[in-house]
């Protein structure tokens, strides 16, 4: 169990590092649309690690979400943050794409751990998974912070924050708290349903993030970006339809099993 928590914690730390680089060089709307590819990666990892079955709707979802990310990659860097060069824009894209793949792998490994190793029926295992992996990820991040020497710039970073030191601290605290709440929900869905379903729910928020970025950060919403968002929504809807069909099939099987127990044949 210690090995599982350490391995997953290290993956969480590396994944967050990649996400941070992506956010540094990409606008919020572009970043969120690239993150939508995590559903496609999740389908692949779930197939090989968790024995998830592929259907035409799931395959359609994978193709559409991959195509959506490709449109973003081919888009010019007109919507990149000021001061970000074309090469940094590409680095941000690659890091965000790699982070999406690593995140999907993480979810599949968590499901595998729940089913094959931990094998507990209580919800407390969700909190244990979240607490211990986050503790390891925090330790790895702190070690990296001091090893790189970036800890020396923290005071200057706080002083240079455009909204003041208090807002800087509140932003970090708010990010930490909301991330933990989100992670408990993500891990809980893995425990109760599956890693693929958990990723579907996570991807749902990505569809509205470009709109939120447009309203809050005044991000530019180009035609290609709108098209990519619509394609991503189409891909998400395909998986929702497949999940609905699977749910109906499961309910029918349960009803038939119940009927066979209530009315046994003569």
């Amino acid at each position: 169990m210690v090995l599982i928590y350490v391995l997953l914690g290290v993956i969480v730390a590396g994944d967050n590092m990649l996400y941070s680089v992506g956010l540094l060089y990409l606008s919020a709307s572009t970043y969120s649309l690239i993150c939508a590819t995590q559903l496609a990666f999740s389908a692949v990892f779930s197939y090989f690690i968790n024995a998830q079955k592929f259907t035409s709707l799931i395959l359609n979802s994978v193709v559409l979400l991959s195509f959506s990310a490709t449109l973003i990659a081919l888009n010019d860097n007109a919507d990149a943050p000021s001061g970000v060069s074309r090469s940094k824009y590409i680095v941000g894209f690659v890091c965000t794409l790699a982070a999406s793949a690593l995140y999907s792998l993480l979810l599949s490994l968590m499901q595998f751990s729940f089913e094959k190793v931990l094998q507990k029926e209580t919800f407390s295992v969700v909190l244990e998974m979240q607490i211990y992996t986050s503790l390891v990820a925090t330790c790895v991040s702190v070690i990296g912070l001091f090893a790189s020497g970036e800890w020396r710039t923290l005071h200057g970073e706080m002083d240079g924050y455009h909204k003041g030191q208090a807002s800087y601290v509140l932003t970090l605290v708010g990010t930490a708290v909301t991330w933990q709440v989100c992670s408990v929900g993500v891990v809980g869905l893995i425990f109760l349903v599956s890693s693929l379903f958990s990723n579907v729910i996570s991807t749902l928020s990505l569809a509205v993030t470009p709109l939120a970025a447009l309203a809050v950060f005044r991000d530019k919403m180009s035609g290609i970006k709108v098209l990519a968002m619509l394609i991503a929504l189409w891909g998400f809807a395909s998986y929702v339809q497949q999940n609905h069909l699977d749910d109906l099939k499961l309910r029918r099987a349960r009803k038939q099993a119940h009927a066979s127990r209530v009315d046994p044949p003569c």
Side-chain angles (χ1 to χ4, degrees):
M1 291 176 62
V2 172
L3 181 60
I4 290 175
Y5 294 141
V6 170
L7 174 62
L8 296 180
V10 171
I11 293 177
V12 169
D15 192 42
N16 288 341
M17 179 63 186
L18 290 173
Y19 275 131
S20 298
V21 174
L23 275 173
L24 182 64
Y25 296 141
L26 300 175
S27 65
S29 55
T30 301
Y31 168 84
S32 63
L33 287 172
I34 298 174
C35 286
T37 59
Q38 68 191 33
L39 183 57
F41 288 117
S42 186
V44 174
F45 288 128
S46 295
Y47 175 79
F48 289 104
I49 299 177
N50 310 120
Q52 174 74 38
K53 293 182 179 179
F54 266 106
T55 65
S56 58
L57 287 174
I58 291 180
L59 183 61
N60 183 60
S61 175
V62 170
V63 172
L64 289 174
L65 287 168
S66 300
F67 184 66
S68 173
T70 302
L71 285 178
I72 295 297
L74 296 177
N75 190 22
D76 58 28
N77 63 336
D79 61 341
S82 58
V84 176
S85 63
R86 179 64 177 175
S87 59
K88 291 182 178 179
Y89 181 83
I90 295 176
V91 170
F93 174 85
V94 172
C95 286
T96 305
L97 192 64
S100 299
L102 194 59
Y103 178 76
S104 300
L105 175 61
L106 175 67
L107 298 188
S108 293
L109 291 176
M110 283 186 174
Q111 181 181 345
F112 181 84
S113 299
F114 283 138
E115 294 176 347
K116 305 297 183 181
V117 183
L118 302 179
Q119 295 180 340
K120 294 182 180 180
E121 298 297 332
T122 59
F123 197 76
S124 62
V125 69
V126 173
L127 297 178
E128 292 175 2
M129 174 71 75
Q130 178 57 25
I131 291 172
Y132 295 141
T133 55
S134 295
L135 182 61
V136 172
T138 300
C139 293
V140 172
S141 299
V142 170
I143 292 173
L145 179 67
F146 281 92
S148 64
E150 289 189 11
W151 63 273
R152 299 186 182 91
T153 65
L154 291 180
H155 190 271
E157 183 178 289
M158 182 183 297
D159 292 337
Y161 194 64
H162 63 288
K163 291 185 178 294
Q165 294 184 359
S167 296
Y168 178 85
V169 174
L170 289 176
T171 299
L172 293 182
V173 172
T175 301
V177 172
T178 52
W179 173 253
Q180 289 302 313
V181 173
C182 173
S183 297
V184 169
V186 168
V187 177
L189 283 176
I190 296 174
F191 175 73
L192 295 173
V193 188
S194 69
S195 60
L196 189 57
F197 182 78
S198 178
N199 217 340
V200 167
I201 300 302
S202 299
T203 307
L204 178 61
S205 64
L206 297 176
V208 298
T209 300
L211 300 179
L214 177 66
V216 178
F217 300 117
R218 299 296 187 268
D219 277 1
K220 296 179 181 179
M221 186 63 70
S222 63
I224 292 181
K225 191 176 294 183
V226 171
L227 179 60
M229 184 174 64
L230 293 176
I231 293 175
L233 286 172
W234 184 6
F236 171 77
S238 295
Y239 182 81
V240 170
Q241 176 65 14
Q242 181 60 55
N243 188 72
H244 175 66
L245 295 176
D246 292 341
D247 184 61
L248 291 178
K249 184 178 179 180
L250 180 60
R251 289 182 180 182
R252 284 195 297 265
R254 287 177 177 175
K255 287 182 179 180
Q256 291 175 359
H258 179 70
S260 63
R261 289 195 300 267
V262 174
D263 299 319
C266 297

